[in-house]
Amino acid sequence: MPSAVDSAVAGRRGSVVVYLMVAFGVTWLVWAPLAVAALGATELPPVPLVFFAGSFGPLAGAVVASLFSGGWRGVRAWANRTFSVRFRRVWWWWAVGMPVAYFLVGYLTAAIVAGGWPDMTQFGLTEKLPGWNVAAVAVVWILTFGLGEEAGWRGWLLPHLAERFSTFWAALIVAGVWIVWHAPAFIFNPTYREMGPGIIGWMLALITGSYLLAWMGRGAGWSIVPVLIWHGGFDLLTASDQAAGTIAATISAIVMVQGVIAAGILWRDRRRERLSSA
């Protein structure tokens, strides 16, 4: 079992608190004007591009917490581990293959339900990025809510928590933090505002997704490269205007099942992790 955190940067008291303060502070500061404007609006405007900038809060938290824990040596150790491509080839297959499988199953299900294939010229497009083609949209998802989030959640917070707890419990804690981090979006983002009781399913999706991504991150030696590719592909498929409804629901259901399986694997491995870290 790979050690979660380089010994030079692990364990300084208060580093997790520093991480959380920066991760939440940067994101919520960026999103605050959107929330304030939405509170006084009778009709919510389209979500502006600045929304994507808020995704870099977890990344900023990882950099600052690494600096706090071990200086620039700590930042280098975090970056070398987090962005390493020295992991088994199978994780490339998982990272790319799962979104491809989601696409096939999701769009086939939509075709069966609607009685015809969705318009593929609209694939991946979103009103949050008006006029952008699918390639540009994919790059944005990977670099923002892929890199921006995963460099922090799975790149810093999860490995550090996994030093104190098992990966199973660390993934559950990260899921709780991840859910709360989204809170301002429920004020200004129509997608979140319109969830209603569906928020329960959304929370369950994040919990199971956290287990799936924890399983991937641990398997890749705590590199986030497979995770951020997966995350960007998932967002491209489910956050598009076309995916609202059947496609997003189908893909989310698949991920929830995968997450339950991943949670079972991590639960089984709890004792082995404790023994290997002793």
Side-chain angles (χ1 to χ4, degrees):
M1 196 69 62
S3 177
V5 184
D6 185 276
S7 60
V9 300
R12 180 172 179 181
R13 187 182 300 274
S15 60
V16 172
V17 174
V18 170
Y19 170 79
L20 294 174
M21 289 178 62
V22 175
F24 277 72
V26 169
T27 297
W28 286 14
L29 185 64
V30 171
W31 287 353
L34 306 180
V36 171
L39 289 173
T42 55
E43 182 176 346
L44 292 181
V47 176
L49 190 60
V50 71
F51 166 70
F52 291 87
S55 69
F56 291 105
L59 170 59
V63 173
V64 174
S66 297
L67 188 61
F68 173 80
S69 295
W72 290 111
R73 181 186 177 190
V75 175
R76 288 194 298 272
W78 163 78
N80 289 338
R81 171 181 52 76
T82 301
F83 302 107
S84 173
V85 293
R86 296 180 178 179
F87 48 81
R88 289 186 298 154
R89 186 178 302 175
V90 66
W91 297 106
W92 289 107
W93 288 105
W94 280 114
V96 177
M98 281 194 284
V100 171
Y102 300 156
F103 165 79
L104 295 174
V105 176
Y107 274 76
L108 177 60
T109 302
I112 293 172
V113 171
W117 287 98
D119 180 4
M120 296 309 297
T121 63
Q122 298 302 306
F123 169 71
L125 303 184
T126 172
E127 64 177 7
K128 295 180 179 66
L129 297 169
W132 294 51
N133 62 39
V134 65
V137 171
V139 170
V140 170
W141 284 124
I142 291 174
L143 294 181
T144 57
F145 288 93
L147 174 63
E149 285 199 72
E150 296 306 341
W153 302 140
R154 259 62 64 172
W156 195 94
L157 184 58
L158 178 67
H160 275 71
L161 292 176
E163 286 286 303
R164 304 182 189 181
F165 314 100
S166 66
T167 306
F168 177 89
W169 292 114
L172 185 60
I173 295 169
V174 170
V177 173
W178 198 12
I179 288 169
V180 175
W181 177 80
H182 284 87
F186 284 89
I187 301 174
F188 66 84
N189 191 327
T191 301
Y192 291 86
R193 288 275 296 264
E194 294 166 4
M195 281 185 186
I199 189 174
I200 303 299
W202 174 81
M203 292 171 66
L204 289 174
L206 259 64
I207 293 170
T208 52
S210 182
Y211 280 118
L212 176 60
L213 296 179
W215 169 73
M216 292 178 66
R218 188 189 68 169
W222 303 112
S223 168
I224 67 158
V225 173
V227 172
L228 73 87
I229 293 172
W230 182 96
H231 197 149
F234 177 83
D235 285 344
L236 179 68
L237 290 166
T238 60
S240 67
D241 299 339
Q242 186 183 62
T246 302
I247 296 173
T250 300
I251 294 173
S252 295
I254 296 171
V255 171
M256 290 175 72
V257 172
Q258 290 181 300
V260 170
I261 296 171
I265 295 171
L266 297 177
W267 176 263
R268 180 201 64 192
D269 292 345
R270 288 172 4 270
R271 180 175 175 80
R272 184 174 62 177
E273 287 183 335
R274 287 197 300 268
L275 292 174
S276 65
S277 62

